Amino acid sequence: MPRKSTAPADIETKHARRREQIEEDDADEENDDTSMLEMISILQNFQKRTANKSSSKPSVFTTQKNAIYDEARKNASNAVREGVAYIDQHKAVIEALKAQEVSQDQRLKELSLFAQQEDAVRAILEQFPPVFEDEGLSQRRSEIVNETSAMLEAHSKERHLSRKRLLRNAKVRIEEDQERQRIVTDASALIKHYKTLLLA
């Protein structure tokens, strides 16, 4: 098969088209590069703006947050200091109350009325002669009973006053114990509260 001869004009036309196509491709690439650069610069500007906005917001927020935390720490420190002073003050009160406590044995010794009554009964019993040796037993017995009854009536006022004093002292001690218990409970609750504040 014979080869077709290509004219130089055809070859030049092809080369010219190819050059035009290459130039168009280069122009498109330059346009693409330019539009890419413009898009990148727009994105960078946008990122800078959002970064400036977001960085100013957290700094204000961080400043406010730090101020709130500092205030809370200061308040907690003051509360702890006041709580410790309060507890120390009430510990001193409790120690003073403990120093004023009187043992129950001492209270019973103070109530010597019982011992006096017991001594009086023993003295009366010692004065009785043996039952079978005495002839006027019933008369003497009635006299002794009358004397004993008179003695009991004479001491009934003292017994009544002693009973009132004992009840009053017992009531005061119960109230003191209740107050101490309340102070200790309040102090324990306050310590727990401050611990939770410090741990929070």
Side-chain angles (χ1 to χ4, degrees):
M1 216 171 154
R3 267 179 113 183
K4 287 183 182 177
S5 64
T6 54
D10 288 338
I11 293 175
E12 282 208 26
T13 314
K14 284 182 181 178
H15 283 304
R17 277 189 208 156
R18 183 160 273 189
R19 268 188 246 130
E20 285 177 11
Q21 190 175 5
I22 290 173
E23 285 175 4
E24 285 177 12
D25 288 345
D26 287 343
D28 286 344
E29 282 181 19
E30 284 179 18
N31 286 339
D32 287 346
D33 288 343
T34 307
S35 64
M36 275 300 255
L37 288 174
E38 287 176 0
M39 209 155 63
I40 288 172
S41 71
I42 290 171
L43 281 173
Q44 286 175 345
N45 287 336
F46 179 72
Q47 286 176 347
K48 284 180 186 176
R49 284 185 195 150
T50 54
N52 287 339
K53 286 181 184 176
S54 63
S55 67
S56 66
K57 285 181 184 175
S59 66
V60 170
F61 173 74
T62 305
T63 305
Q64 289 176 347
K65 180 184 77 169
N66 289 339
I68 290 170
Y69 280 147
D70 290 342
E71 185 69 24
R73 284 188 189 105
K74 184 178 175 183
N75 289 344
S77 175
N78 289 340
V80 167
R81 198 175 311 111
E82 289 172 5
V84 169
Y86 181 80
I87 290 169
D88 289 341
Q89 176 188 2
H90 284 288
K91 279 184 181 178
V93 170
I94 290 170
E95 291 299 322
L97 290 173
K98 282 185 179 179
Q100 293 174 1
E101 279 184 3
V102 179
S103 68
Q104 292 180 358
D105 294 335
Q106 192 173 354
R107 292 268 183 197
L108 290 175
K109 286 177 185 176
E110 289 174 0
L111 300 174
S112 61
L113 179 62
F114 295 116
Q116 290 174 359
Q117 288 177 352
E118 194 173 319
D119 291 342
V121 170
R122 282 190 186 137
I124 291 170
L125 291 175
E126 287 174 358
Q127 290 176 3
F128 284 116
V131 176
F132 297 109
E133 293 177 5
D134 246 350
E135 297 173 4
L137 180 65
S138 62
Q139 185 178 358
R140 265 189 288 183
R141 185 176 275 171
S142 70
E143 289 173 2
I144 290 172
V145 167
N146 289 338
E147 286 175 9
T148 307
S149 174
M151 190 181 352
L152 286 175
E153 286 177 7
H155 290 291
S156 72
K157 190 172 186 180
E158 292 174 358
R159 271 197 331 264
H160 183 67
L161 291 174
S162 173
R163 187 172 143 258
K164 276 189 173 180
R165 189 172 52 243
L166 186 63
L167 288 173
R168 186 173 56 246
N169 289 341
K171 184 177 178 183
V172 168
R173 294 229 21 214
I174 288 171
E175 289 173 355
E176 288 174 356
D177 289 340
Q178 287 174 344
E179 180 64 22
R180 282 190 209 116
Q181 182 66 32
R182 189 183 62 75
I183 289 171
V184 169
T185 305
D186 289 347
S188 297
L190 188 62
I191 288 170
K192 286 180 185 176
H193 179 67
Y194 286 130
K195 282 184 180 178
T196 54
L197 280 176
L198 290 174
L199 294 175

